[in-house]
Structure formats: structure tokens, C-alpha cells
Coordinates of all heavy atoms in Angstrom, one line a residue:
M1 N 179.9 137.3 83.3 CA 180.3 136.6 82.2 C 180.9 135.2 82.5 O 180.7 134.7 83.5 CB 181.3 137.6 81.5 CG 181.6 137.3 79.9 SD 180.2 136.9 78.9 CE 179.9 138.4 78.1
L2 N 181.8 134.7 81.7 CA 182.3 133.4 81.8 C 183.5 133.4 82.8 O 184.3 134.4 82.8 CB 182.8 132.8 80.5 CG 181.7 132.4 79.5 CD1 182.4 132.0 78.2 CD2 180.9 131.3 80.0
D3 N 183.6 132.4 83.6 CA 184.7 132.3 84.5 C 185.9 131.6 83.8 O 187.0 131.7 84.2 CB 184.3 131.3 85.6 CG 183.3 132.0 86.6 OD1 183.3 133.3 86.7 OD2 182.5 131.4 87.2
H4 N 185.6 131.1 82.6 CA 186.6 130.4 81.7 C 186.7 131.1 80.4 O 185.9 130.7 79.5 CB 186.3 128.9 81.7 CG 186.2 128.2 83.0 ND1 187.3 127.9 83.7 CD2 185.2 127.8 83.7 CE1 187.0 127.3 84.9 NE2 185.6 127.3 84.8
P5 N 187.5 132.0 80.2 CA 187.5 132.8 79.0 C 187.8 132.0 77.6 O 187.5 132.4 76.6 CB 188.5 133.9 79.1 CG 189.4 133.3 80.2 CD 188.5 132.4 81.1
N6 N 188.4 130.7 77.8 CA 188.7 130.0 76.6 C 187.5 129.2 76.2 O 187.5 128.6 75.1 CB 189.8 128.9 77.0 CG 191.1 129.7 77.1 OD1 191.3 130.7 76.5 ND2 192.0 129.1 77.8
V7 N 186.4 129.2 76.9 CA 185.1 128.5 76.5 C 184.3 129.5 75.8 O 183.9 130.6 76.3 CB 184.3 128.0 77.7 CG1 183.0 127.3 77.3 CG2 185.2 126.9 78.5
V8 N 184.1 129.3 74.5 CA 183.3 130.3 73.7 C 182.1 129.8 73.0 O 181.3 130.5 72.4 CB 184.3 130.8 72.5 CG1 185.5 131.5 73.0 CG2 184.7 129.6 71.6
G9 N 181.8 128.5 73.2 CA 180.5 128.0 72.8 C 180.2 126.6 73.2 O 180.9 126.0 74.1
L10 N 179.1 126.0 72.9 CA 178.7 124.8 73.2 C 177.9 124.1 72.1 O 177.4 124.8 71.2 CB 177.9 124.7 74.5 CG 176.5 125.5 74.5 CD1 175.4 124.7 74.1 CD2 176.3 126.1 75.8
K11 N 177.9 122.7 72.2 CA 177.0 122.0 71.2 C 175.7 121.7 71.9 O 175.7 121.0 73.0 CB 177.7 120.7 70.9 CG 178.8 120.8 69.9 CD 179.6 119.5 69.7 CE 178.8 118.5 68.9 NZ 179.5 117.4 68.6
Q12 N 174.6 122.2 71.4 CA 173.2 122.1 72.0 C 172.7 120.9 71.4 O 172.4 120.9 70.2 CB 172.5 123.3 71.8 CG 171.4 123.7 72.7 CD 170.2 122.9 72.6 OE1 170.3 121.7 72.9 NE2 169.0 123.4 72.2
T13 N 172.4 119.8 72.2 CA 171.9 118.5 71.6 C 170.6 118.0 72.1 O 170.2 117.0 71.7 CB 173.0 117.5 71.7 OG1 173.2 117.2 73.0 CG2 174.3 117.9 71.0
D14 N 170.0 118.7 73.1 CA 168.9 118.1 73.7 C 167.6 118.6 73.1 O 166.5 118.1 73.6 CB 168.9 118.3 75.2 CG 168.7 119.7 75.6 OD1 168.5 120.6 74.8 OD2 168.6 119.9 76.9
G15 N 167.6 119.4 72.2 CA 166.3 120.0 71.6 C 165.6 121.0 72.4 O 164.5 121.5 72.1
N16 N 166.3 121.5 73.5 CA 165.6 122.5 74.3 C 165.9 123.9 73.7 O 166.9 124.5 74.1 CB 166.2 122.3 75.7 CG 165.5 123.4 76.8 OD1 164.7 124.2 76.4 ND2 166.0 123.2 78.0
L17 N 164.9 124.4 73.0 CA 165.0 125.7 72.4 C 165.1 126.9 73.5 O 165.8 127.8 73.4 CB 163.9 126.0 71.4 CG 163.9 125.2 70.2 CD1 162.7 125.5 69.3 CD2 165.2 125.3 69.4
R18 N 164.4 126.6 74.6 CA 164.6 127.6 75.7 C 166.0 127.8 76.2 O 166.5 128.8 76.5 CB 163.7 127.1 76.8 CG 163.7 128.1 78.1 CD 162.9 127.6 79.1 NE 161.4 127.8 78.8 CZ 160.4 127.4 79.6 NH1 160.7 126.8 80.7 NH2 159.2 127.6 79.1
L19 N 166.8 126.7 76.2 CA 168.2 126.8 76.7 C 168.9 127.7 75.8 O 169.8 128.6 76.2 CB 168.9 125.4 76.6 CG 170.3 125.3 77.0 CD1 170.5 125.8 78.4 CD2 170.9 123.9 76.8
V20 N 168.7 127.8 74.4 CA 169.4 128.6 73.6 C 169.2 130.1 74.0 O 170.2 130.9 74.1 CB 169.0 128.4 72.0 CG1 169.7 129.5 71.2 CG2 169.3 127.0 71.7
T21 N 168.0 130.4 74.2 CA 167.7 131.8 74.7 C 168.3 132.1 76.0 O 168.8 133.2 76.2 CB 166.1 132.0 74.7 OG1 165.5 131.8 73.3 CG2 165.7 133.4 75.1
Q22 N 168.2 131.2 77.0 CA 168.7 131.4 78.2 C 170.2 131.6 78.3 O 170.7 132.6 78.9 CB 168.3 130.2 79.2 CG 166.8 130.2 79.5 CD 166.5 129.0 80.2 OE1 167.1 128.0 80.2 NE2 165.3 129.1 81.0
V23 N 170.9 130.9 77.5 CA 172.3 131.0 77.4 C 172.7 132.3 76.7 O 173.6 133.0 77.2 CB 173.0 129.7 76.8 CG1 174.4 129.9 76.4 CG2 172.8 128.4 77.5
R24 N 172.1 132.6 75.6 CA 172.4 133.8 74.9 C 172.2 135.0 75.8 O 173.0 135.8 75.8 CB 171.6 133.9 73.6 CG 171.9 135.0 72.7 CD 171.1 134.9 71.4 NE 169.6 134.6 71.6 CZ 168.7 135.4 72.1 NH1 168.9 136.6 72.4 NH2 167.4 134.9 72.1
R25 N 171.1 135.0 76.5 CA 170.8 136.1 77.4 C 171.8 136.3 78.6 O 172.3 137.4 78.8 CB 169.5 136.1 77.9 CG 168.3 136.4 77.1 CD 167.1 136.3 77.8 NE 165.9 136.7 76.9 CZ 164.7 136.5 77.2 NH1 164.3 135.9 78.2 NH2 163.8 136.9 76.3
R26 N 172.2 135.1 79.1 CA 173.0 135.2 80.3 C 174.5 135.4 79.8 O 175.2 136.2 80.6 CB 173.0 133.8 81.0 CG 173.8 133.9 82.2 CD 173.5 132.6 83.1 NE 174.4 132.7 84.3 CZ 174.6 131.7 85.1 NH1 174.0 130.5 84.8 NH2 175.4 131.8 86.1
L27 N 175.0 134.9 78.8 CA 176.4 135.0 78.4 C 176.8 136.0 77.5 O 177.9 136.3 77.2 CB 177.0 133.6 78.1 CG 176.8 132.5 79.1 CD1 177.3 131.2 78.6 CD2 177.5 132.9 80.5
G28 N 175.7 136.5 76.8 CA 176.0 137.6 75.9 C 176.4 137.3 74.5 O 176.5 136.1 74.2
P29 N 176.5 138.3 73.6 CA 176.6 138.0 72.2 C 178.0 137.3 71.8 O 178.1 136.9 70.7 CB 176.5 139.3 71.5 CG 176.8 140.3 72.6 CD 176.4 139.7 73.9
D30 N 179.0 137.5 72.7 CA 180.2 136.9 72.3 C 180.4 135.5 72.5 O 181.3 134.8 72.1 CB 181.4 137.5 73.0 CG 181.5 139.0 72.7 OD1 181.2 139.4 71.6 OD2 182.1 139.8 73.6
F31 N 179.3 134.8 73.1 CA 179.3 133.3 73.5 C 178.6 132.7 72.2 O 177.5 133.1 71.8 CB 178.6 133.1 74.7 CG 178.8 131.6 75.1 CD1 179.9 131.2 75.8 CD2 177.8 130.7 74.9 CE1 180.0 129.9 76.2 CE2 177.9 129.3 75.2 CZ 179.1 129.0 76.0
S32 N 179.2 131.7 71.6 CA 178.7 131.1 70.4 C 177.8 129.8 70.9 O 178.4 129.0 71.8 CB 179.8 130.6 69.5 OG 180.5 131.8 69.0
I33 N 176.7 129.6 70.4 CA 175.9 128.5 70.6 C 175.8 127.7 69.3 O 175.4 128.2 68.3 CB 174.5 128.8 71.1 CG1 174.5 129.7 72.4 CG2 173.6 127.6 71.4 CD1 173.2 130.3 72.8
F34 N 176.2 126.4 69.4 CA 176.1 125.6 68.2 C 175.1 124.6 68.4 O 174.9 124.0 69.5 CB 177.4 125.0 68.0 CG 178.5 125.8 67.6 CD1 179.3 126.4 68.5 CD2 178.7 126.2 66.2 CE1 180.4 127.3 68.2 CE2 179.6 127.2 65.9 CZ 180.5 127.7 66.8
F35 N 174.4 124.2 67.3 CA 173.3 123.2 67.3 C 173.8 121.9 66.9 O 174.6 121.9 65.9 CB 172.2 123.8 66.4 CG 171.0 122.7 66.5 CD1 170.1 122.8 67.5 CD2 170.9 121.8 65.4 CE1 169.0 121.9 67.5 CE2 169.9 120.9 65.4 CZ 169.0 120.9 66.4
C36 N 173.5 120.8 67.4 CA 173.9 119.5 67.0 C 172.8 118.5 67.2 O 172.1 118.5 68.2 CB 175.1 119.1 67.8 SG 175.7 117.6 67.4
G37 N 172.7 117.6 66.2 CA 171.9 116.4 66.5 C 170.5 116.3 66.0 O 170.0 115.3 65.5
I38 N 169.8 117.4 66.1 CA 168.3 117.4 65.8 C 168.1 118.2 64.6 O 167.8 119.4 64.8 CB 167.4 117.7 67.0 CG1 167.8 116.8 68.2 CG2 166.0 117.5 66.6 CD1 167.1 117.1 69.5
E39 N 168.1 117.7 63.4 CA 168.1 118.5 62.2 C 166.7 119.3 62.1 O 166.7 120.3 61.6 CB 168.2 117.5 60.9 CG 169.7 117.2 60.6 CD 170.3 116.3 61.6 OE1 169.7 115.7 62.5 OE2 171.5 116.0 61.4
Q40 N 165.6 118.6 62.7 CA 164.4 119.3 62.7 C 164.3 120.7 63.4 O 163.5 121.4 63.1 CB 163.3 118.4 63.2 CG 163.0 117.1 62.3 CD 164.0 116.1 62.6 OE1 164.9 116.1 63.4 NE2 163.9 114.9 61.9
L41 N 165.3 120.9 64.2 CA 165.3 122.1 65.0 C 166.5 123.1 64.6 O 166.7 124.1 65.2 CB 165.5 121.9 66.5 CG 164.3 121.1 67.2 CD1 164.6 120.8 68.6 CD2 163.0 121.9 67.0
A42 N 167.1 122.7 63.5 CA 168.3 123.5 63.0 C 167.9 125.0 62.7 O 168.4 126.0 63.1 CB 169.0 122.9 61.8
L43 N 166.8 125.1 61.9 CA 166.4 126.4 61.5 C 165.9 127.3 62.6 O 166.2 128.4 62.8 CB 165.4 126.4 60.3 CG 164.9 127.7 59.7 CD1 166.2 128.5 59.1 CD2 164.0 127.4 58.6
P44 N 164.9 126.7 63.5 CA 164.5 127.4 64.6 C 165.7 127.8 65.5 O 165.6 128.9 66.1 CB 163.6 126.4 65.2 CG 163.1 125.5 64.2 CD 164.3 125.4 63.3
D45 N 166.8 126.9 65.7 CA 167.7 127.2 66.6 C 168.6 128.5 66.0 O 168.9 129.4 66.7 CB 168.7 126.0 66.6 CG 169.5 126.0 67.8 OD1 168.9 125.9 69.0 OD2 170.7 126.0 67.7
L46 N 168.8 128.6 64.6 CA 169.4 129.7 64.0 C 168.6 130.9 64.2 O 169.2 132.0 64.5 CB 169.7 129.4 62.5 CG 170.7 128.3 62.1 CD1 170.6 128.1 60.6 CD2 172.0 129.0 62.5
M47 N 167.3 130.8 64.1 CA 166.4 132.0 64.4 C 166.6 132.5 65.7 O 166.4 133.7 66.0 CB 165.0 131.7 64.1 CG 164.6 131.2 62.7 SD 164.8 132.5 61.5 CE 163.4 133.6 61.9
L48 N 166.9 131.7 66.7 CA 167.0 132.1 68.1 C 168.5 132.7 68.5 O 168.7 133.2 69.5 CB 166.7 131.0 69.1 CG 165.3 130.6 69.1 CD1 165.1 129.4 69.9 CD2 164.4 131.7 69.6
G49 N 169.3 132.6 67.4 CA 170.6 133.2 67.6 C 171.8 132.2 67.7 O 172.9 132.7 68.0
S50 N 171.6 131.0 67.4 CA 172.8 130.1 67.3 C 173.8 130.6 66.3 O 173.3 131.2 65.2 CB 172.3 128.7 67.0 OG 171.7 128.1 68.1
A51 N 175.1 130.3 66.4 CA 176.1 130.7 65.6 C 176.3 129.8 64.4 O 176.8 130.3 63.4 CB 177.4 130.9 66.4
G52 N 175.7 128.7 64.5 CA 176.0 127.7 63.4 C 175.3 126.4 63.7 O 174.6 126.3 64.6
M53 N 175.6 125.4 62.9 CA 175.0 124.2 62.9 C 176.2 123.1 62.9 O 177.1 123.1 62.1 CB 174.1 123.8 61.8 CG 173.0 124.8 61.7 SD 171.8 124.5 60.2 CE 172.8 124.0 59.0
I54 N 176.0 122.1 63.7 CA 176.9 120.9 63.7 C 176.0 119.7 63.8 O 175.5 119.2 64.8 CB 178.0 120.9 64.8 CG1 178.8 122.0 64.8 CG2 178.8 119.6 64.7 CD1 179.6 122.2 66.1
T55 N 175.5 119.3 62.5 CA 174.5 118.2 62.5 C 175.0 116.9 62.0 O 176.0 116.9 61.2 CB 173.3 118.6 61.6 OG1 173.8 118.8 60.3 CG2 172.7 120.0 62.1
A56 N 174.4 115.9 62.4 CA 174.8 114.5 61.7 C 174.6 114.5 60.4 O 175.4 113.8 59.6 CB 174.0 113.5 62.6
S57 N 173.6 115.1 59.8 CA 173.3 114.9 58.4 C 174.4 115.7 57.6 O 174.5 115.4 56.3 CB 171.9 115.6 58.0 OG 171.9 116.9 58.4
G58 N 175.2 116.6 58.3 CA 176.3 117.2 57.6 C 177.3 116.3 57.1 O 178.1 116.7 56.2
N59 N 177.3 115.1 57.7 CA 178.3 114.0 57.3 C 177.8 113.4 56.0 O 178.6 112.7 55.3 CB 178.5 113.1 58.4 CG 179.2 113.7 59.6 OD1 180.3 114.3 59.3 ND2 178.7 113.5 60.8
I60 N 176.5 113.4 55.8 CA 175.9 112.7 54.8 C 175.7 113.6 53.6 O 175.9 113.3 52.4 CB 174.6 112.0 55.1 CG1 174.9 111.1 56.3 CG2 173.9 111.3 54.0 CD1 173.6 110.6 57.1
V61 N 175.1 114.8 53.8 CA 174.8 115.8 52.7 C 175.3 117.1 53.1 O 174.6 118.1 53.3 CB 173.3 115.8 52.4 CG1 172.8 114.6 51.8 CG2 172.5 116.0 53.8
P62 N 176.6 117.3 53.2 CA 177.2 118.5 53.7 C 176.9 119.7 52.8 O 176.8 120.9 53.4 CB 178.7 118.2 53.6 CG 178.9 117.1 52.6 CD 177.7 116.3 52.8
R63 N 176.7 119.6 51.5 CA 176.3 120.7 50.7 C 175.0 121.2 51.1 O 174.7 122.5 51.2 CB 176.4 120.4 49.2 CG 176.0 121.6 48.4 CD 176.2 121.3 46.9 NE 177.6 121.3 46.6 CZ 178.2 120.7 45.7 NH1 177.5 120.0 44.9 NH2 179.5 120.7 45.6
Q64 N 174.0 120.4 51.3 CA 172.7 120.8 51.6 C 172.6 121.5 53.0 O 171.9 122.6 53.2 CB 171.7 119.6 51.7 CG 171.4 119.1 50.3 CD 172.4 118.1 49.8 OE1 173.5 118.0 50.2 NE2 171.9 117.2 49.0
V65 N 173.4 121.0 54.0 CA 173.4 121.7 55.3 C 174.1 123.1 55.1 O 173.6 124.0 55.7 CB 174.3 120.8 56.3 CG1 174.5 121.5 57.6 CG2 173.5 119.5 56.5
A66 N 175.2 123.1 54.3 CA 175.8 124.4 54.1 C 174.9 125.3 53.4 O 174.9 126.6 53.8 CB 177.2 124.2 53.4
D67 N 174.2 124.9 52.4 CA 173.3 125.8 51.7 C 172.2 126.3 52.6 O 171.8 127.5 52.5 CB 172.6 125.0 50.5 CG 173.5 124.7 49.4 OD1 174.6 125.2 49.4 OD2 173.1 123.8 48.6
L68 N 171.6 125.5 53.5 CA 170.6 126.0 54.5 C 171.2 127.1 55.3 O 170.6 128.1 55.6 CB 170.2 124.9 55.4 CG 169.0 125.1 56.4 CD1 168.4 123.9 56.8 CD2 169.5 126.0 57.6
Y69 N 172.4 126.9 55.8 CA 173.1 127.9 56.6 C 173.4 129.2 55.9 O 173.1 130.3 56.3 CB 174.5 127.4 57.3 CG 175.2 128.4 58.0 CD1 174.8 128.6 59.4 CD2 176.3 129.2 57.5 CE1 175.5 129.5 60.2 CE2 176.9 130.1 58.2 CZ 176.5 130.2 59.5 OH 177.2 131.3 60.3
R70 N 173.8 129.1 54.6 CA 174.1 130.3 53.9 C 172.8 131.1 53.5 O 172.9 132.3 53.4 CB 174.9 129.9 52.6 CG 176.3 129.6 52.9 CD 177.1 129.4 51.5 NE 176.9 128.3 50.9 CZ 177.5 127.1 51.0 NH1 178.6 127.0 51.8 NH2 177.2 126.1 50.2
A71 N 171.8 130.3 53.1 CA 170.5 130.9 52.8 C 170.0 131.7 54.1 O 169.6 132.8 53.9 CB 169.5 129.8 52.3
F72 N 170.1 131.1 55.2 CA 169.6 131.8 56.4 C 170.4 133.1 56.6 O 169.8 134.1 56.8 CB 169.7 130.9 57.7 CG 169.4 131.6 58.9 CD1 168.0 131.7 59.2 CD2 170.4 132.1 59.7 CE1 167.7 132.5 60.4 CE2 170.0 132.8 60.9 CZ 168.7 133.0 61.2
R73 N 171.7 132.9 56.5 CA 172.6 134.1 56.9 C 172.4 135.2 55.8 O 172.6 136.5 56.0 CB 174.1 133.7 56.9 CG 174.4 132.9 58.1 CD 174.4 133.7 59.4 NE 174.6 132.9 60.6 CZ 173.9 133.0 61.6 NH1 173.0 133.9 61.8 NH2 174.1 132.2 62.7
A74 N 171.9 134.8 54.6 CA 171.8 135.8 53.5 C 170.4 136.4 53.6 O 170.0 137.2 52.9 CB 172.0 135.3 52.2
G75 N 169.6 136.0 54.6 CA 168.2 136.5 54.7 C 167.3 135.9 53.7 O 166.1 136.4 53.6
K76 N 167.5 134.8 53.1 CA 166.7 134.1 52.2 C 165.9 133.0 52.9 O 166.1 131.8 52.8 CB 167.5 133.5 51.1 CG 168.3 134.4 50.3 CD 169.2 133.7 49.2 CE 170.0 134.8 48.4 NZ 170.9 134.2 47.5
F77 N 165.0 133.5 53.7 CA 164.2 132.5 54.6 C 163.3 131.6 54.0 O 163.2 130.5 54.4 CB 163.5 133.5 55.6 CG 164.4 134.4 56.5 CD1 164.2 135.7 56.4 CD2 165.5 133.9 57.1 CE1 165.1 136.5 57.1 CE2 166.4 134.7 57.8 CZ 166.1 136.1 57.9
D78 N 162.8 131.9 52.8 CA 162.0 130.9 52.2 C 162.8 129.8 51.6 O 162.5 128.6 51.7 CB 161.2 131.6 51.0 CG 160.1 132.5 51.4 OD1 159.6 132.3 52.5 OD2 159.7 133.3 50.6
E79 N 164.0 130.1 51.0 CA 165.0 129.0 50.6 C 165.4 128.3 51.8 O 165.5 127.1 51.8 CB 166.1 129.7 49.9 CG 167.1 128.7 49.4 CD 168.3 129.4 48.7 OE1 168.2 130.6 48.3 OE2 169.2 128.8 48.4
A80 N 165.7 129.0 52.9 CA 166.2 128.2 54.1 C 165.2 127.3 54.6 O 165.4 126.1 54.9 CB 166.6 129.2 55.2
R81 N 163.9 127.6 54.5 CA 162.8 126.8 55.0 C 162.6 125.7 54.1 O 162.4 124.5 54.7 CB 161.5 127.7 55.2 CG 160.4 126.9 55.7 CD 159.1 127.6 56.1 NE 158.8 128.6 55.1 CZ 158.9 130.1 55.4 NH1 159.3 130.4 56.5 NH2 158.6 130.9 54.4
R82 N 162.8 125.9 52.9 CA 162.7 124.7 52.0 C 163.8 123.7 52.2 O 163.6 122.6 52.2 CB 162.8 125.3 50.5 CG 162.6 124.2 49.4 CD 162.9 124.8 48.0 NE 164.1 125.4 47.8 CZ 165.4 124.8 47.6 NH1 165.3 123.5 47.7 NH2 166.5 125.5 47.3
L83 N 165.0 124.2 52.3 CA 166.1 123.3 52.6 C 166.0 122.6 53.9 O 166.2 121.4 54.1 CB 167.4 124.1 52.5 CG 167.8 124.5 51.2 CD1 168.9 125.7 51.3 CD2 168.3 123.5 50.3
H84 N 165.5 123.3 54.9 CA 165.2 122.7 56.2 C 164.2 121.6 56.1 O 164.4 120.5 56.7 CB 164.6 123.8 57.2 CG 164.1 123.4 58.4 ND1 164.8 122.9 59.5 CD2 162.8 123.2 58.7 CE1 164.0 122.6 60.5 NE2 162.7 122.8 60.0
D85 N 163.1 121.9 55.4 CA 162.1 120.8 55.2 C 162.7 119.6 54.5 O 162.4 118.5 54.9 CB 160.9 121.3 54.3 CG 160.1 122.3 55.1 OD1 160.3 122.5 56.4 OD2 159.3 123.1 54.5
A86 N 163.6 119.9 53.5 CA 164.2 118.7 52.8 C 165.1 117.8 53.7 O 165.1 116.6 53.8 CB 165.0 119.2 51.6
L87 N 165.9 118.6 54.5 CA 166.8 118.0 55.5 C 166.0 117.2 56.6 O 166.5 116.3 57.1 CB 167.8 119.0 56.1 CG 168.8 119.4 55.1 CD1 169.6 120.6 55.8 CD2 169.8 118.3 54.9
S88 N 164.9 117.7 57.0 CA 164.2 117.0 58.1 C 163.6 115.7 57.8 O 163.3 114.9 58.5 CB 163.0 118.0 58.5 OG 163.4 119.1 59.1
G89 N 163.6 115.5 56.4 CA 163.2 114.1 55.9 C 164.2 113.1 55.9 O 164.0 111.9 55.6
I90 N 165.5 113.5 56.2 CA 166.7 112.6 56.1 C 166.7 111.7 57.2 O 166.4 112.1 58.4 CB 168.0 113.3 56.0 CG1 168.1 114.0 54.6 CG2 169.2 112.5 56.2 CD1 169.3 114.9 54.4

């Protein structure tokens, strides 16, 4: 597990989806992975187990970003994909 129990998550900003899976497998379900910076990968990142999103577009269109997250968590994947597509154009 972690050598530093106060570290509970990270901002993943390089677009490496493999890293999300590797970190989740190595550190377990109590470690939170946050996505940041590349809106086009927000939905795939959530699908891989990220705990949430911290995106630049959240500063511009916070409601749309929150709606995408809520739709995903509610299992409304068609709606989440539609919102993801709209956000990817920003």
C-alpha cells in the first residue's frame, strides 16, 4: 500500500489511460484517481475507475461538467456520452 497514508489521490494529466489502470491495481480501491486537463478523455477515465474529474472546462461550463459526472455515476451512459461529446468540442 502507500508509504504516505495522507496521500489519497492524484491529478492525472498526461492522457495515459494505462496509468489509471496501473495505479488502481497497485494501490487499491481506497486510492482516488482524479482526471485533469484533457476533457476528451474524461469519460474513458471514469470508465476505468477514476473517482472524479478536475477539468479546465469546469471553470467555464461547470454545470455541464457536473452533469456528465452525475450521468455517469447514475449509469446513464448514453447521456454521459452525449455530454462528453459536447464538452470535447470546447
Side-chain angles (χ1 to χ4, degrees):
M1 198 43 99
L2 289 175
D3 291 333
H4 303 284
N6 291 334
V7 178
V8 297
L10 61 90
K11 287 173 71 175
Q12 206 286 67
T13 62
D14 71 354
N16 182 354
L17 293 177
R18 180 181 287 177
L19 178 65
V20 176
T21 301
Q22 290 171 335
V23 169
R24 185 176 39 78
R25 282 183 178 167
R26 183 169 180 195
L27 299 179
D30 293 334
F31 192 81
S32 297
I33 302 170
F34 292 96
F35 180 84
C36 178
I38 304 173
E39 280 74 3
Q40 293 84 357
L41 296 179
L43 185 56
D45 206 63
L46 287 170
M47 296 291 292
L48 290 173
S50 288
M53 304 179 322
I54 303 173
T55 61
S57 62
N59 293 310
I60 301 166
V61 288
R63 178 171 291 152
Q64 290 88 332
V65 172
D67 287 347
L68 187 160
Y69 178 80
R70 284 192 289 267
F72 175 79
R73 291 291 176 219
K76 298 176 181 178
F77 301 122
D78 287 338
E79 181 180 346
R81 186 172 38 248
R82 181 185 58 76
L83 292 162
H84 167 79
D85 290 347
L87 285 170
S88 292
I90 291 176

